């Protein structure tokens, strides 16, 4: 029986559920349930509007920070450390043993290192001359 490949830049949500669900079932059969749970630490202004924050998830005992954005007016004031600390504290509550994050921004890299994250991998020239750096931290 022949199988057909179909390339698209607009997969349907149902298509993605099949791929994600299949991989999740396979991985859980190999190593057990992931217990994946979303995690966000949001920055709100005085009117309650979200203006930045951190989002990611915990899974298999690890916190992964997918996104971290700090508005220009709050940069350089320790906000990254506050966001990471909140997320890490929640991850510990969830039983996580470590955290990881990646960046190709030199300022973010410096902030993550000063917060105790250590480099475990790099992709040189990921974007032009910038290196994408992967960092982890024991919790």
């Amino acid at each position: 029986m022949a199988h057909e490949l179909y390339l698209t830049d607009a997969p349907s949500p149902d298509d993605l559920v099949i791929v994600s669900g299949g991989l999740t079932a396979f991985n859980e059969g190999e190593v057990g349930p992931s217990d994946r749970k979303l995690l966000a630490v949001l920055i709100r202004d005085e009117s309650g509007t979200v203006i930045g924050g951190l989002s990611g998830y915990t899974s298999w005992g690890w916190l992964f920070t997918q996104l971290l954005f700090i508005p220009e007016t709050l940069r350089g004031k320790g906000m990254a450390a506050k966001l990471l600390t909140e997320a890490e504290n929640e991850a510990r509550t969830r039983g996580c043993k470590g955290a990881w994050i990646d960046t190709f921004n030199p300022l973010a890299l410096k902030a993550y290192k000063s917060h105790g994250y250590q480099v475990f991998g790099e992709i040189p020239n990921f974007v032009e001359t910038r290196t994408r750096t992967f960092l982890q931290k024991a919790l």
Side-chain angles (χ1 to χ4, degrees), residues 70-90:
I70 300 169
E72 184 74 34
T73 58
L74 296 177
R75 292 181 191 158
K77 299 178 180 179
M79 186 59 72
K82 291 176 185 176
L83 291 169
L84 290 166
T85 297
E86 285 289 321
E88 291 163 4
N89 287 342
E90 175 60 21

Side-chain angles (χ1 to χ4, degrees), residues 100-113:
W100 69 285
I101 193 167
D102 66 270
T103 187
F104 56 85
N105 180 307
L107 294 175
L109 177 61
K110 183 179 176 184
Y112 302 152
K113 283 181 172 181

Side-chain angles (χ1 to χ4, degrees), residues 82-138:
K82 291 176 185 176
L83 291 169
L84 290 166
T85 297
E86 285 289 321
E88 291 163 4
N89 287 342
E90 175 60 21
R92 283 185 195 93
T93 299
R94 297 180 186 187
C96 290
K97 62 185 175 212
W100 69 285
I101 193 167
D102 66 270
T103 187
F104 56 85
N105 180 307
L107 294 175
L109 177 61
K110 183 179 176 184
Y112 302 152
K113 283 181 172 181
S114 70
H115 195 69
Y117 283 76
Q118 298 178 327
V119 174
F120 72 88
E122 296 179 329
I123 303 173
N125 302 314
F126 180 75
V127 177
E128 299 180 6
T129 61
R130 289 192 178 189
T131 297
R132 186 167 189 172
T133 305
F134 298 84
L135 303 102
Q136 66 181 354
K137 177 180 179 178

Side-chain angles (χ1 to χ4, degrees), residues 15-27:
D15 293 340
L16 296 177
V17 165
I18 290 169
V19 174
S20 175
L23 180 59
T24 297
F26 174 82
N27 285 339

